Amino acid sequence: MLRARSLLGALRLCSSVSCPRPRASAKMRVRDALRVQDASGECVTVQGWIRSVRSQKEVLFLHVNDGSSLESLQIVADSGFHSRELVFGSSVQVQGQLVKSQSKRQNVELKAEKIEVIGNCEAKAFPIKYKERHPLEYLRQYPHLRCRTNALASILRVRSEATAAIHSYFKDNGFVHIHTPVLTSNDCEGAGELFQVEPSSKVKVPEENFFDVPAFLTVSGQLHLEVMSGAFTQVFTFGPTFRAENSQSRRHLAEFYMVEAEISFVESLQDLMQVMEELFKVTTEIVLSCCPEDVELCHQFIASGQKWGVDLQTEHEKYLVRHCGNIPVFVINYPSELKPFYMRENEDGPQHTVAAVDLLVPGVGELFGGSLREERYHILEQRLARSGLTKAYQWYLDLRKFGSVPHGGFGMGFERYLQCILGVDNIKDVIPFPRFTHSCLL
Ligand code: 4AD
Ligand code: MG
């Protein structure tokens, strides 16, 4: 406690020492500049990329965007400022006075006193063209440049807000955030879609293998979360997940983000479904209130008709969702042989189902997958033995020996969530750098 206090004291000291003197022209993000009410000539500096140039006889209009909002800031300058380098895509620093705009299109504009081109943009070679609305498919060829378009910038801002909203939902509801490992020796889902990890050069390690066991990129943090739920009761993780699925579908990636929660003392699927539903609703409400313009842009210009995949499984999901009136649908109690070893067996005799739950949503299909976990030692032992997994999962069985409790959890595909709320047809467009079969650009 004392140490923490003195650390805080030291930090305060640092900040007072390094506090900058008030500058003549304060740097401002475009988003903040646009929000200034009753602008009255504040001296500010804005940095960003030119989105449009309009040169009139006496006046030059620029629109500058720095990624902080969908809307750009209008710069008004004397036509004498015009130069050949002031083109779409160039980066600039503009100093001037923030004033109330004459036009009704915007509240404020920046009356430029100084315009500096930081980096010229070679317009001919630049794959993003002025005033063109490029199809998302075309932009996918340029993962290093597509974030400069309105469409991708809006999607990625929503992604950022949704990430923060998910963390705040769990924090507000008493969940502990766990960093589950990316490298693991288990195959949680047992579906054999693993990427194996080895050092690129075996020379560096004297033994034959770096780890003593085969190691993989994680397909799910669930089993590690189950360990932690045995101490913290409610836990979550939100990180990258990897599946070597040979699929070019519009809803599969080789690297995607999964939100996973695990809750102890849960005895019914109803309780789990309530958390899933609440997480979805609260996150979406926060996103809608934080960036309504970005969501609106997606709905207006990107959202495509509700297409579905072609595989049989997906067609079943589509049928179910349609049948229920095109709304999200929970499907529960799946046949045991379709699901992984950890799911809790229902007491339904010959039907032989497990307490699994999937949430299917229109346009995307499966968004959440979850279950109650088999917490009964002997039943789990039998299931593991049947699958030849007893040795590898001894530690998992141990958890059922030392204070086992009924528990359950779920995983939500984060990219599929974004597809669902934004109406984006292809999953490759809601992640900054998509990885999928035959493609690992950059
Ligand atoms: O249904 P899944 O496989 O469930 C699990 O991995 C559980 N261990 C989670 C848990 O209970 N903690 O995956 C969960 C979700 C799916 O419903 C889907 O939304 C998404 O992850 N998902 C994918 N998203 C993009 N690309 C892929 N290849 C995906 N595979 C699954
Ligand atoms: Mg699933």
Side-chain angles (χ1 to χ4, degrees):
M1 190 67 185
L2 260 181
R3 273 185 80 145
R5 277 216 192 107
S6 63
L7 191 62
L8 276 177
L11 280 176
R12 264 185 224 120
L13 199 68
C14 281
S15 69
S16 68
V17 169
S18 64
C19 180
R21 272 174 285 137
R23 278 171 299 173
S25 169
K27 246 192 223 176
M28 212 175 207
R29 298 279 279 163
V30 165
R31 179 187 172 93
D32 299 328
L34 290 169
R35 284 180 173 179
V36 171
Q37 299 288 328
D38 302 320
S40 54
E42 294 87 341
C43 199
V44 302
T45 298
V46 167
Q47 297 165 318
W49 293 266
I50 297 180
R51 282 296 179 83
S52 78
V53 185
R54 194 156 44 94
S55 178
Q56 292 181 354
K57 209 170 168 201
E58 289 176 359
V59 204
L60 170 71
F61 293 101
L62 301 177
H63 280 95
V64 171
N65 190 287
D66 64 357
S68 58
S69 69
L70 177 60
E71 204 182 330
S72 301
L73 180 65
Q74 173 157 291
I75 314 288
V76 186
D78 189 279
S79 56
F81 275 108
H82 198 30
S83 88
R84 284 208 297 176
E85 288 187 323
L86 284 181
V87 292
F88 174 70
S90 291
S91 51
V92 287
Q93 172 166 305
V94 184
Q95 193 181 312
Q97 289 184 341
L98 211 56
V99 294
K100 216 169 154 31
S101 177
Q102 312 271 326
S103 148
K104 275 194 185 132
R105 282 212 213 134
Q106 62 268 319
N107 243 343
V108 291
E109 57 193 24
L110 187 60
K111 250 174 85 180
E113 286 161 359
K114 193 174 167 194
I115 303 178
E116 253 177 280
V117 175
I118 310 282
N120 189 17
C121 181
E122 294 177 32
K124 261 198 182 155
F126 194 37
I128 301 164
K129 302 295 177 202
Y130 184 38
K131 280 195 171 164
E132 256 181 61
R133 192 176 300 141
H134 300 289
L136 293 174
E137 236 168 354
Y138 167 84
L139 294 174
R140 246 173 259 150
Q141 302 169 78
Y142 307 103
H144 57 310
L145 296 170
R146 65 176 184 164
C147 52
R148 310 262 191 101
T149 62
N150 276 346
L152 260 291
S154 280
I155 292 171
L156 295 179
R157 266 190 302 273
V158 169
R159 186 179 168 109
S160 167
E161 291 296 342
T163 303
I166 284 164
H167 278 274
S168 78
Y169 169 80
F170 284 120
K171 188 170 164 49
D172 292 349
N173 286 282
F175 283 72
V176 173
H177 180 210
I178 302 292
H179 288 124
T180 50
V182 169
L183 291 177
T184 176
S185 54
N186 77 57
D187 172 10
C188 174
E189 293 303 291
E193 295 159 343
L194 299 160
F195 284 106
Q196 190 153 351
V197 179
E198 281 170 8
S200 63
S201 161
K202 292 197 172 167
V203 183
K204 288 181 198 149
V205 187
E207 294 84 2
E208 205 162 304
N209 295 313
F210 188 91
F211 301 108
D212 289 341
V213 291
F216 311 98
L217 296 179
T218 185
V219 294
S220 160
Q222 177 195 322
L223 302 187
H224 300 100
L225 278 191
E226 282 191 62
V227 169
M228 295 295 163
S229 72
F232 299 105
T233 309
Q234 300 193 114
V235 287
F236 80 102
T237 190
F238 183 2
T241 317
F242 306 86
R243 296 196 185 176
E245 269 167 308
N246 189 7
S247 169
Q248 288 279 354
S249 94
R250 52 174 203 86
R251 49 177 219 153
H252 288 90
L253 288 167
E255 177 181 306
F256 63 99
Y257 275 68
M258 211 202 295
V259 181
E260 294 182 87
E262 198 65 33
I263 311 169
S264 285
F265 307 104
V266 157
E267 296 195 43
S268 81
L269 282 180
Q270 286 298 333
D271 293 343
L272 266 190
M273 290 190 283
Q274 205 173 329
V275 181
M276 290 157 79
E277 190 169 331
E278 220 179 72
L279 169 68
F280 184 98
K281 285 182 175 167
V282 171
T283 303
T284 310
E285 268 165 22
I286 297 178
V287 167
L288 286 174
S289 73
C290 288
C291 35
E293 302 87 5
D294 290 317
V295 175
E296 181 60 27
L297 177 114
C298 294
H299 288 177
Q300 245 189 313
F301 299 117
I302 298 176
S304 42
Q306 310 253 295
K307 275 193 249 151
W308 291 79
V310 287
D311 51 300
L312 201 60
Q313 179 70 35
T314 311
E315 289 303 320
H316 287 154
E317 291 173 1
K318 168 186 169 181
Y319 176 80
L320 278 167
V321 172
R322 276 238 188 92
H323 178 75
C324 297
N326 245 3
I327 52 165
V329 176
F330 283 114
V331 181
I332 59 169
N333 296 332
Y334 283 69
S336 161
E337 68 271 16
L338 295 181
K339 291 291 185 184
F341 66 91
Y342 55 73
M343 294 195 176
R344 191 178 198 277
E345 276 185 22
N346 285 324
E347 275 130 32
D348 55 3
Q351 284 189 344
H352 218 71
T353 60
V354 286
V357 52
D358 280 0
L359 177 65
L360 315 181
V361 294
V364 174
E366 183 192 331
L367 174 62
F368 282 76
S371 76
L372 297 181
R373 319 306 190 190
E374 188 53 80
E375 87 285 6
R376 297 162 295 186
Y377 186 93
H378 293 294
I379 298 179
L380 183 62
E381 191 184 32
Q382 283 164 17
R383 284 199 88 178
L384 285 170
R386 276 205 296 274
S387 321
L389 295 171
T390 312
K391 198 159 165 244
Y393 287 93
Q394 195 56 52
W395 65 270
Y396 188 69
L397 208 46
D398 263 8
L399 299 176
R400 278 66 182 165
K401 238 196 283 184
F402 308 126
S404 186
V405 293
H407 64 289
F410 58 79
M412 176 183 86
F414 184 52
E415 285 74 22
R416 290 192 189 177
Y417 167 75
L418 294 173
Q419 279 187 279
C420 170
I421 61 162
L422 298 178
V424 176
D425 184 53
N426 197 311
I427 197 166
K428 300 173 187 81
D429 300 323
V430 294
I431 188 163
F433 300 100
R435 274 85 181 84
F436 51 97
T437 334
H438 303 304
S439 179
C440 189
L441 295 179
L442 268 67

